[in-house]
Amino acid sequence: DQLDRLIGGIRRELHFEQGEFTFEANPNDLLEKDKLQALYDNGVNRLSIGVQSFNDEILKAIGRTHRVADVYQAIANARAVGFDNISIDLIFRLPKQTREDFLASLHKALALDLPHYSTYSLILEKKTIFYNLMRSGRLQLPNQDAEADMYQDAIDLMESTGQHQYEISNFAKPGYQCQHNLLYWRNDHYFGFGAGAFGYIGRDRYHNFGPIKQYLDPLHDHKVPVIEHHLVPLEEQIEEEMFLGLRTREGVSQKRFAERYHMTISDVYGDLLTKLSDQQLVTVAGDAVRLTNQGQFLGNEVFQQFLLDDPLV
């Protein structure tokens, strides 16, 4: 009932009748069909499901509340209701995870024949339990070589089954690339509604209050529930244009860059592009600046080099 009211309100206020409409969910949110039916009946046409692994022991170790059987049930329910545009997330470099285990998860995921998959390497955030365990030497994680092998396995296996890599961590059948994520990587603008949401309109990147009570308090006082505004300066816009666009296989368009910033990529980064090309980390061909295959494995190191030391104006 809450979903029905929420989505009905969204569609009523935003007046959209077409395009991608994604909901994210955990597998154990979808073990009954009633929520799925409410989503489908209200025009949701894409599901993104946080699976992470097809190994129950690993799921338990990382604190997930679902199990592998729930994944199969959730996807069967979604298909029965009518969803065909379904994506799942997998994580590698998990505690005690071997290359063989991740490869087994990849095979099980691909056997579901979904149109979209995302694979992410585990990131340890400061002040989390895993981060503290790692600092104290009590967290057993795969080493960098094993991590690179897992990532290469994902790239190779996805491509061999018709899932084309269109971004560092994302793979899709033709026509099923995630449109809202492409919007972020192209450094375009978006609204953020709801507790804790981010939006980016014009130069204004804003952050809403969260959790829900702090979000509601200013609304009750007829105030906009934004906790922070950041007017993104030109240098930061250009940095983001580069390291977001380089995440995609299409790369950064030189024509689009020039139209947006009234200067060429070479004006700003000429020496750096020459250096990275010589190191075989980026390639400049036609309109596009792209990461090479080797550059994908060293993405964060490459992106850092596009941070500008000096103001442009």
Side-chain angles (χ1 to χ4, degrees), residues 16-41:
F16 68 91
E17 295 298 329
Q18 59 188 15
E20 181 182 279
F21 190 177
T22 297
F23 251 69
E24 295 189 4
N26 293 319
N28 46 340
D29 295 327
L30 307 177
L31 298 181
E32 304 292 336
K33 294 180 183 176
D34 54 347
K35 290 181 183 176
L36 283 161
Q37 195 67 57
L39 297 175
Y40 188 79
D41 290 347

Side-chain angles (χ1 to χ4, degrees), residues 203-256:
R203 287 180 52 211
D204 180 20
R205 179 173 289 121
Y206 63 89
H207 182 196
N208 289 348
F209 280 94
I212 189 69
K213 185 180 185 305
Q214 283 85 343
Y215 178 75
L216 291 174
D217 285 344
L219 285 172
H220 291 316
D221 294 332
H222 305 288
K223 296 177 182 177
V224 176
V226 174
I227 190 172
E228 181 182 23
H229 290 277
H230 172 54
L231 291 180
V232 182
L234 176 63
E235 289 81 5
E236 194 173 328
Q237 293 176 47
I238 285 174
E239 291 166 354
E240 292 178 355
E241 187 83 17
M242 296 305 298
F243 62 69
L244 290 172
L246 284 170
R247 290 188 62 92
T248 67
R249 297 302 282 167
E250 68 182 16
V252 181
S253 164
Q254 299 194 71
K255 179 175 181 287
R256 177 183 162 103

Side-chain angles (χ1 to χ4, degrees), residues 103 108 176 190 217 255 257 260 271 287 293 301 309:
L103 199 55
K108 290 174 182 176
Y176 284 93
Y190 49 90
D217 285 344
K255 179 175 181 287
F257 185 100
R260 279 192 166 187
D271 292 342
D287 181 52
N293 289 338
E301 289 85 345
D309 296 324

